[in-house]
Amino acid sequence: MGGMSYVELAEAAHGQMGACKACPICDGRACKNHIPGPGAKGTGMVAIRNYEAWQSVMVHMDTIHEPFVPDTSVTLFDRQLSLPVMVGPLGDVNLHYGPKYTMDSYNDVMLRAAAGAGTLGWTGDGLAASLHEGACRAISGLDGCGICTIKPWSRDVVRDKLKLALAARPAAVAMDIDGAGLPFLKGQQPPAGTKGVSQLREIAKACHAADTPFVLKGIMTERGAEKALKAGADGIVVSNHGGRVQDGVEATATVLPEIARAVGEELIVLVDGGIRTGIDVFRALALGASAVLMCRPFVVAMYGGGERGVRDYLAQLRGELSNTMEMCGAETVADITDGMVSW
Ligand SMILES: Cc1cc2nc3c(=O)[nH]c(=O)nc-3n(C[C@H](O)[C@H](O)[C@H](O)COP(=O)(O)O)c2cc1C
């Protein structure tokens, strides 16, 4: 039996997701600036820009090569993943998408589906302490098959949350360092804000003492990437939080090549924002990423088809990536180079 396509999953999810309209293409237009909800800040244009920037990257076809079965696997954080796509972090599913899932049931299903498909899910964080506690419990219950993301809270709160996270033995710990811009965190308790290199270095050190990689999510400039490197991070996610933290910023696809050129030898460079198909994954890899994260479409897949829905969507992405690799002459993910696209 074939699985459900993304369009079928979106149809099944329609009407159950609050401000999310479960569109057949998740391009940021319908949810625009609805926060709470899955929209973007201010005009809502940044999420749309993220999506459109990938569409302007053209892939170069070359089918004169011996036949091969493309290998979509990658090694990341010492783990072999079946495809270079991970499920991105989502904090507070109830606040943004309504009551169908609790954060715990969302995380349980999402992490299990990702692990079952041979990849990793990332968990999110929010004002209620229970969000992160539940995420750590779920990752621990899956033998560490997941990545915890902690918001840039005050030093004491980060210390406690980091302790919980490291005890779960996750594949990595991340901090969404751009979280300071989230409208629903402003003026709340615990406080969240920006962080300097020295405090980030302490966090990286604590992670390394527990043999756990540390990733900074929300890097949009070469300058930011150099500071992440100085702070001792092992990886970065080129991300603008799907447009939710600052209006008027560049698309992630636009800044990825220069950031990858600057730090790609020293840091694992990941990217997210508007990546929706296996072709988009190919584009991101060609522009310098080692793997991608996708967030909003996986919520739709889960609302439309539960654990099976997430796995079906991952299978669709893998198929699309594999087809594009065959059509462009890349037998392995390492063969996908910047010469295979133009923009
Ligand atoms: C409703 C919602 C909640 C999110 N919560 C988190 C979070 O807790 N931590 C985090 O690092 N990113 C969070 N993100 C950002 C996503 O992980 C991702 O960076 C962003 O949505 C861009 O990817 P996408 O276009 O594939 O959705 C959230 C995004 C949405 C839409």
Side-chain angles (χ1 to χ4, degrees):
M1 279 226 313
M4 285 170 86
S5 69
Y6 185 76
V7 171
E8 289 166 337
L9 290 165
E11 263 169 29
H14 191 79
Q16 302 181 49
M17 301 188 69
C20 172
K21 303 300 171 218
C23 306
I25 298 176
C26 177
D27 60 3
R29 289 190 186 281
C31 56
K32 205 142 187 228
N33 56 359
H34 286 282
I35 303 181
K41 201 171 176 180
T43 60
M45 277 307 296
V46 174
I48 299 171
R49 185 173 302 141
N50 279 342
Y51 172 79
E52 286 186 345
W54 298 112
Q55 306 318 304
S56 67
V57 179
M58 299 301 146
V59 301
H60 296 177
M61 234 169 50
D62 169 18
T63 48
I64 301 187
H65 57 73
E66 295 303 323
F68 56 68
V69 177
D71 178 0
T72 61
S73 68
V74 283
T75 303
L76 209 64
F77 307 124
D78 285 336
R79 293 175 193 235
Q80 168 126 11
L81 308 187
S82 63
L83 77 170
V85 177
M86 293 176 281
V87 182
L90 171 78
D92 214 334
V93 72
N94 294 144
L95 175 69
H96 302 297
Y97 291 98
K100 179 164 174 175
Y101 285 94
T102 64
M103 199 69 245
D104 281 350
S105 63
Y106 177 88
N107 279 337
D108 277 347
V109 175
M110 179 276 289
L111 289 166
R112 211 172 40 231
T119 184
L120 292 166
W122 294 47
T123 57
D125 190 9
L127 286 171
S130 59
L131 297 180
H132 177 69
E133 289 162 7
C136 294
R137 240 189 343 263
I139 291 176
S140 173
L142 266 180
D143 283 335
C145 222
I147 294 177
C148 298
T149 315
I150 301 174
K151 295 221 177 293
W153 312 111
S154 58
R155 190 184 240 110
D156 291 354
V157 176
V158 168
R159 192 197 312 114
D160 293 348
K161 292 210 179 203
L162 191 55
K163 217 168 157 188
L164 263 187
L166 291 172
R169 313 291 307 157
V173 166
M175 175 167 280
D176 46 335
I177 194 64
D178 57 358
L182 287 167
F184 51 89
L185 294 187
K186 275 272 174 290
Q188 300 286 324
Q189 280 302 324
T194 60
K195 285 200 183 303
V197 167
S198 65
Q199 206 190 132
L200 292 175
R201 198 177 284 132
E202 287 171 21
I203 299 169
K205 250 192 201 156
C207 290
H208 295 157
D211 245 347
T212 307
F214 178 55
V215 180
L216 279 166
K217 174 171 179 284
I219 304 297
M220 284 295 290
T221 55
E222 246 180 270
R223 198 166 73 241
E226 303 280 1
K227 287 189 232 178
L229 186 59
K230 266 202 199 122
D234 302 279
I236 55 172
V237 186
V238 174
S239 173
N240 51 33
H241 219 108
R244 292 167 68 79
V245 292
Q246 175 65 48
D247 201 355
V249 300
E250 290 276 22
T252 49
T254 308
V255 297
L256 172 62
E258 68 210 36
I259 294 177
R261 260 195 308 274
V263 298
E265 300 278 304
E266 293 115 319
L267 292 176
I268 296 169
V269 177
L270 308 171
V271 65
D272 76 9
I275 296 166
R276 300 296 178 250
T277 65
I279 306 174
D280 296 344
V281 177
F282 183 95
R283 291 166 159 138
L285 267 43
L287 296 187
S290 293
V292 310
L293 278 64
M294 294 169 51
C295 177
R296 294 173 176 102
F298 281 111
V299 193
V300 173
M302 197 184 307
Y303 273 69
E307 182 174 344
R308 182 79 201 275
V310 175
R311 288 174 71 153
D312 283 351
Y313 185 38
L314 281 164
Q316 178 177 330
L317 293 166
R318 191 173 172 189
E320 290 163 349
L321 173 61
S322 177
N323 289 343
T324 309
M325 289 169 68
E326 185 183 16
M327 292 303 289
C328 296
E331 186 167 2
T332 70
V333 163
D335 294 336
I336 303 174
T337 59
D338 60 358
M340 293 183 176
V341 293
S342 52
W343 71 97

